[in-house]
Amino acid sequence: MIALGVLLSGNGSNFQAIIDAIAAGELDARVAVVVSNVASARGLDRARAAGIPAIVVDHRGFASRADFDAHVAKLLVARGAEYVVLAGFMRVVTGALLGAFPMRVINIHPSLLPAFPGIDAQSQAFAYGARIAGCTVHFVDEGTDTGPVIAQCAVGVLASDDDASLRARILHEEHKLLTRALQWLSEGRVTVEPRDPPRRARVTVAGAQTFSFAATPQNT
Ligand code: GAR
């Protein structure tokens, strides 16, 4: 069993997927603590409903990103978190957090990276006219959505899609992809092989298929 620290800023449906997967016995983990930088985040209510400690750390009270991250890292360590999950956490993290959890910070991002990093990736993909969108679970580095990929799921863009319907289908897949990847981590199946730049670190997952394709309704 692994202990997770979850960082979020909003709705927290990915966090809810973690809670649900643990309850269903599909994810061998416990959530040690949830931290939100936004006091009104719905994810905090989800934590309280599940009996999980929920803490607000308002980033506006800190002089720099690094100060905020150092504070959050200390809190996560004190609560016994082994891995940190960015579940809709809308802030770039710095070495102050990453140094405390080397290759142990995981992000879910709603695009097939390296396409469409940053905010509103689903809208970026839709506006671009991409025919295949998707989501990515990756280790976090100091760039914006640039860290080593663990797993990806492709989601087809339907002729009938609008921004909201595409977003909803991607989110549905995010929930599955994130909990699956966390279970691989829990089972000790994920290995990161550092390599000299410009080559990227290589992630391998023993005995697992690290790509998937969302079931696609008829393209009308
Ligand atoms: C999710 O779509 C997640 O991939 C995205 O925010 C949403 C949070 O939803 N994260 C990012 O865009 C990070 N760059 P949730 O709060 O319902 O889990």
Side-chain angles (χ1 to χ4, degrees), residues 41-174:
R42 178 156 175 233
L44 291 165
D45 300 328
R46 297 179 190 272
R48 291 177 194 123
I52 295 167
I55 299 173
V56 177
V57 184
D58 188 337
H59 58 277
R60 292 171 301 187
F62 294 82
S64 68
R65 279 183 193 279
D67 285 356
F68 170 78
D69 283 2
H71 181 85
V72 170
K74 206 179 283 179
L75 200 155
L76 292 166
V77 169
R79 296 280 178 157
E82 296 164 303
Y83 286 90
V84 180
V85 184
L86 308 186
F89 183 61
M90 296 310 192
R91 292 185 62 77
V92 173
V93 299
T94 65
L97 175 68
L98 299 172
F101 294 92
M103 282 299 164
R104 282 171 176 256
V105 182
I106 291 100
N107 183 43
I108 174 79
H109 181 77
S111 77
L112 290 179
L113 292 170
F116 310 120
I119 57 165
D120 258 336
Q122 311 94 322
S123 303
Q124 291 185 53
F126 187 73
Y128 189 88
R131 292 298 194 258
I132 302 178
C135 50
T136 303
V137 175
H138 64 96
F139 287 112
V140 176
D141 65 12
E142 290 197 44
T144 302
D145 304 317
T146 53
V149 171
I150 301 171
Q152 293 187 304
C153 177
V155 176
V157 181
L158 304 177
S160 58
D161 265 330
D162 57 19
D163 197 285
S165 62
L166 178 60
R167 182 175 292 266
R169 284 209 319 292
I170 294 172
L171 189 61
H172 182 69
E173 299 303 325
E174 290 183 40

Side-chain angles (χ1 to χ4, degrees), residues 14-53:
N14 277 288
F15 167 48
Q16 186 68 52
I18 292 171
I19 296 173
D20 294 347
I22 292 172
E26 292 161 8
L27 173 56
D28 187 21
R30 69 182 179 90
V31 181
V33 64
V34 173
V35 179
S36 173
N37 63 312
V38 177
S40 59
R42 178 156 175 233
L44 291 165
D45 300 328
R46 297 179 190 272
R48 291 177 194 123
I52 295 167

